């Protein structure tokens, strides 16, 4: 039977604008932050809070994902975009009567991406995704390596950004079977005053269990500066 899990997300992104520096317009920064393979150094902190876990539906879980994004220039035409996700987790009564905190498995993705969009305006990137067995508890992830492909494709037209990011992981060590697909379609609208309205789905499919998980997220974000530091705050 399907059940409802209450989900709240808060995203704080520190932006390091590179050559254009603080002269970049806030709305342009907001659009670039909607692009997973933008040539822009940023450090998002994504806090997710979930309620309704466990056999009795009384469990709570919060995960702070630290997600540095760093581009590397490979000559005149290509970038290599490094995207890392380090999950810091806290769980109470997910397993009844327990309270745990620790680190989940780190996911490292690398995207080889052209510096300029294609002739019809598409931006894309492909590369490997690697799961490192850094989990401090079985409750926060399998203690094993996993590897697979990842890719992203999107277009930015006026205030609109739309596309999808995906990866697939297979286990390469350990006793647990990992055969999981992650799919994140997204649609974002950015206003002239740097407010972004986003809808996406962080969907996953477990091929071994033949089971989908399809949460739908509605997010509103705003870019502003504290001193010389551009920041985007998003909630949903």
């Amino acid at each position: 039977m399907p059940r409802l899990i209450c989900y709240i997300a808060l995203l704080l992104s520190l932006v390091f604008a590179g050559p254009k520096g603080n002269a970049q317009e806030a709305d342009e920064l907001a659009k670039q932050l909607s692009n997973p393979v933008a040539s822009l150094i940023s450090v998002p902190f994504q806090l997710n809070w979930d309620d309704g876990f466990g056999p009795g539906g009384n469990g709570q879980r919060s995960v702070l994902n630290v997600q540095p994004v760093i581009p590397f220039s490979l000559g005149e035409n290509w970038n290599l975009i490094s995207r890392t996700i380090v999950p810091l987790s806290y769980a109470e009564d997910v397993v009844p009567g327990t309270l745990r905190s620790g680190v989940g498995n780190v996911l490292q993705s690398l995207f080889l991406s052209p510096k300029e969009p294609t002739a019809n305006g598409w931006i894309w990137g492909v590369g490997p995704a690697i799961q490192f067995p850094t989990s401090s508890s079985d409750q926060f992830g399998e203690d094993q390596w996993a590897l697979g492909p990842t890719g992203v494709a999107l277009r930015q037209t006026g205030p609109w950004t739309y596309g999808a990011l995906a990866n697939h992981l297979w286990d390469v060590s350990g006793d647990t079977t990992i055969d999981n697909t992650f799919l994140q379609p997204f649609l974002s609208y950015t206003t002239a005053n740097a407010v972004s309205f986003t809808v996406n789905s962080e969907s996953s499919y477990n091929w071994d269990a033949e089971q989908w998980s399809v949460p739908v997220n509605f997010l509103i974000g705003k870019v502003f500066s504290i001193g010389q530091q551009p920041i985007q705050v998003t909630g949903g």
Side-chain angles (χ1 to χ4, degrees):
M1 295 249 336
R3 59 192 177 90
L4 178 65
I5 296 174
C6 178
Y7 168 83
I8 298 174
L10 175 66
L11 178 66
L12 170 66
S13 297
L14 303 180
V15 185
F16 303 92
K20 293 183 181 180
N22 293 313
Q24 284 184 302
E25 295 293 336
D27 60 335
E28 181 61 25
L29 276 176
K31 283 192 64 178
Q32 289 196 53
L33 288 169
S34 298
N35 175 4
V37 289
S39 184
L40 183 75
I41 298 175
S42 64
V43 185
F45 296 85
Q46 182 186 37
L47 177 63
N48 300 325
W49 178 79
D50 305 275
D51 185 57
F53 277 96
N58 298 318
Q60 298 180 4
R61 182 179 69 182
S62 61
V63 181
L64 176 65
N65 289 321
V66 184
Q67 307 177 79
V69 180
I70 304 173
F72 299 93
S73 177
L74 301 179
E76 295 183 0
N77 300 318
W78 297 89
N79 284 325
L80 182 67
I81 311 295
S82 169
R83 294 176 58 86
T84 309
I85 301 177
V86 182
L88 308 177
S89 300
Y90 170 88
E92 181 176 355
D93 288 330
V94 174
V95 176
T98 66
L99 187 156
R100 292 181 179 175
S101 61
V103 181
N105 289 324
V106 171
L107 180 64
Q108 175 66 56
S109 300
L110 297 171
F111 297 90
L112 183 65
S113 177
K115 290 186 176 181
E116 299 296 332
T118 63
N120 56 6
W122 282 94
I123 301 167
W124 59 272
V126 294
I130 306 168
Q131 174 183 285
F132 295 89
T134 55
S135 177
S136 59
S137 167
D138 290 342
Q139 190 169 319
F140 301 141
E142 310 90 347
D143 182 25
Q144 61 192 83
W145 293 83
L147 178 67
T150 186
V152 61
L154 66 131
R155 287 192 70 185
Q156 293 189 307
T157 304
W160 294 97
T161 299
Y162 57 90
L165 183 150
N167 67 48
H168 187 90
L169 294 174
W170 292 279
D171 57 287
V172 293
S173 70
D175 300 325
T176 303
T177 299
I178 298 176
D179 190 4
N180 299 332
T181 297
F182 174 81
L183 179 62
Q184 185 181 39
F186 52 86
L187 174 67
S188 180
Y189 180 88
T190 302
T191 69
N193 58 351
V195 176
S196 295
F197 300 89
T198 301
V199 58
N200 66 34
S201 176
E202 298 178 340
S203 303
S204 60
Y205 183 70
N206 185 319
W207 291 86
D208 187 48
E210 298 183 344
Q211 182 175 2
W212 275 102
S213 173
V214 189
V216 178
N217 308 319
F218 300 93
L219 306 165
I220 301 175
K222 168 69 175 175
V223 170
F224 59 96
S225 294
I226 297 179
Q228 299 295 312
Q229 177 62 60
I231 291 175
Q232 184 185 57
V233 175
T234 301

